[in-house]
Amino acid sequence: MIRNPRRRNEPLDHAELARLLPAPADPRLAGDRQHLLEDHLMNEIHQPDHTPAPSPTRRPLRRAALIATPVAAAAALALVVSLGGSPDTTTVAAPRLVKAPVVQIEEGSTVQLASTVHEIAAAATANATPQPGPGQYIYIKSRVSFMASSLNADTKESATWVQPLHDREVWKSPDGTKGWLDEPGYQDKGGITLDNDDPRKQQTYKWLAAQPADPDALLKFAYSTVNGTRDRDQQAFNEIGSVIREQLVPSGLAAALYEAAGKIPGVVVVGHAQDASGRDGIALARLDPQTGERSEWIFDRESHQYLGSRGVQIREVNGVKPGTVVERTAIVTRAVVDAKNQRPGAGQATA
């Protein structure tokens, strides 16, 4: 994630930024990553000597604000700005980007969709999740890598880079008003606060726990969040994905969310998909017709527990080649802990 060194309450000078920006690429930020961006903003800016090495015919890019996963989402993945950090900043330089991996594309199918969704929902129902109490926090540790596209304003050449796989730890209070993010190398040393007096209620445990485990009601809710000209079905799929990605979801509600997702037109089963930890599983997936990216939710082949997610480019858009893995995540630990910044230990409940 990328953090802009300006203070949160400092107004954004759009005119000034517009003069610094090159021609933007086509927006391709999925809804779930947009929501995560809204939570965390930009929590790192790469230094010039950490940008990808340019070719001899390419003018070196200025500092690239490489935005990873969930405010200014319209051109988030191709944003290039020239901003300086304050002298007393403790922000660390992020690791050098690497070329995005490329995989062989496996076709999705609806043949086993109903049975696969049923098995995943049944596994979610059987998996009892801990309930956070007053003063406790939901802790989630994951392995992640997100895409950062670069665009040369002079030559119009683009390149697709990704962050090296790295750990990401998040603490969230049940009502979403308190939290902490620790993503070493991608924001201030020691992490940044996620405290928010007005959190997006759909992303909080408190809101989720109050919802009925009714697939049709949840599907209606997912469609109620769509807006703009992007594909409505994809937006609904992304909305559900944003809920399950980095939250502790009550077991009955998780099952109903998967059943709701299975009713969205265009959802398919992909027989083999690897999460960020290299675990091979089966995926519920949907192709975004506008961006050409297929969003995949990966589940263990035997236990049908959620493992993580993957984004694969299926058709070329804005120079991103088919088979390019533009994002990878893997859940390492979900737990309830007694304090912010505390990691789970013996005797603490995990999911």
Side-chain angles (χ1 to χ4, degrees):
M1 295 299 296
I2 312 310
R3 184 176 178 85
N4 190 323
R6 71 171 62 239
R7 296 185 299 273
R8 290 191 180 193
N9 59 354
E10 182 179 343
L12 183 64
D13 188 338
H14 295 280
E16 178 185 354
L17 281 179
R19 290 194 296 271
L20 296 173
L21 291 171
D26 182 60
R28 50 171 294 105
L29 188 65
D32 51 354
R33 276 175 281 170
Q34 177 178 340
H35 296 326
L36 195 56
L37 278 170
E38 290 170 350
D39 288 341
H40 308 329
L41 298 179
M42 306 175 198
N43 60 359
E44 176 58 36
I45 290 185
H46 284 255
Q47 302 300 320
D49 58 336
H50 286 274
T51 55
S55 65
T57 59
R58 185 170 182 168
R59 186 179 70 180
L61 293 174
R62 291 171 288 180
R63 296 182 183 179
L66 306 171
I67 302 177
T69 103
V71 163
L77 295 180
L79 181 62
V80 179
V81 296
S82 180
L83 293 171
S86 57
D88 59 347
T89 182
T90 58
T91 299
V92 295
R96 184 181 178 89
L97 299 178
V98 297
K99 293 288 283 190
V102 178
V103 298
Q104 184 174 355
I105 296 174
E106 179 178 336
E107 293 293 329
S109 172
T110 59
V111 173
Q112 295 183 326
L113 178 60
S115 60
T116 300
V117 169
H118 176 75
E119 291 172 337
I120 291 172
T125 300
N127 182 38
T129 56
Q131 296 182 0
Q136 290 187 308
Y137 285 80
I138 295 159
Y139 169 83
I140 299 174
K141 180 178 181 179
S142 55
R143 295 277 289 168
V144 302
S145 171
F146 294 101
M147 186 184 78
S149 291
S150 62
L151 176 68
N152 187 292
D154 296 333
T155 67
K156 306 304 181 184
E157 293 178 349
S158 63
T160 304
W161 309 88
V162 293
Q163 303 163 336
L165 282 171
H166 60 279
D167 289 339
R168 173 185 171 91
E169 295 176 286
V170 172
W171 291 260
K172 298 179 179 180
S173 63
D175 64 1
T177 60
K178 303 293 182 182
W180 193 260
L181 166 67
D182 189 8
E183 196 170 2
Y186 291 89
Q187 24 76 2
D188 296 349
K189 291 181 180 179
I192 60 172
T193 182
L194 300 182
D195 290 359
N196 187 348
D197 291 335
D198 187 25
R200 187 171 183 269
K201 64 180 182 180
Q202 294 89 338
Q203 303 300 312
T204 69
Y205 178 87
K206 181 179 179 180
W207 184 87
L208 290 171
Q211 302 311 302
D214 180 344
D216 291 330
L218 293 170
L219 188 61
K220 184 178 180 179
F221 155 72
Y223 275 99
S224 74
T225 67
V226 307
N227 56 70
T229 60
R230 292 194 63 192
D231 183 84
R232 287 176 52 83
D233 296 328
Q234 187 65 36
Q235 288 189 65
F237 186 77
N238 289 342
E239 178 64 28
I240 295 175
S242 72
V243 172
I244 67 175
R245 181 190 295 270
E246 202 168 60
Q247 184 55 272
L248 180 65
V249 183
S251 56
L253 188 69
L257 282 168
Y258 296 137
E259 291 174 349
K263 297 183 178 186
I264 297 175
V267 172
V268 298
V269 173
V270 177
H272 294 273
Q274 286 192 349
D275 70 3
S277 293
R279 298 174 294 192
D280 182 77
I282 192 168
L284 295 182
R286 192 180 191 281
L287 172 64
D288 188 324
Q290 291 173 285
T291 68
E293 177 186 337
R294 186 170 69 191
S295 299
E296 302 173 349
W297 308 341
I298 306 170
F299 300 84
D300 184 271
R301 197 176 305 280
E302 300 299 327
S303 70
H304 292 96
Q305 296 299 319
Y306 178 79
L307 298 178
S309 64
R310 185 174 74 167
V312 178
Q313 198 70 21
I314 303 300
R315 58 180 175 82
E316 183 171 346
V317 174
N318 293 330
V320 184
K321 305 297 183 182
T324 301
V325 179
V326 298
E327 70 149 288
R328 289 179 288 169
T329 73
I331 297 296
V332 177
T333 306
R334 292 185 197 261
V336 173
V337 296
D338 294 328
K340 185 165 57 177
N341 290 48
Q342 181 185 67
R343 292 174 175 84
Q348 289 179 309
T350 59

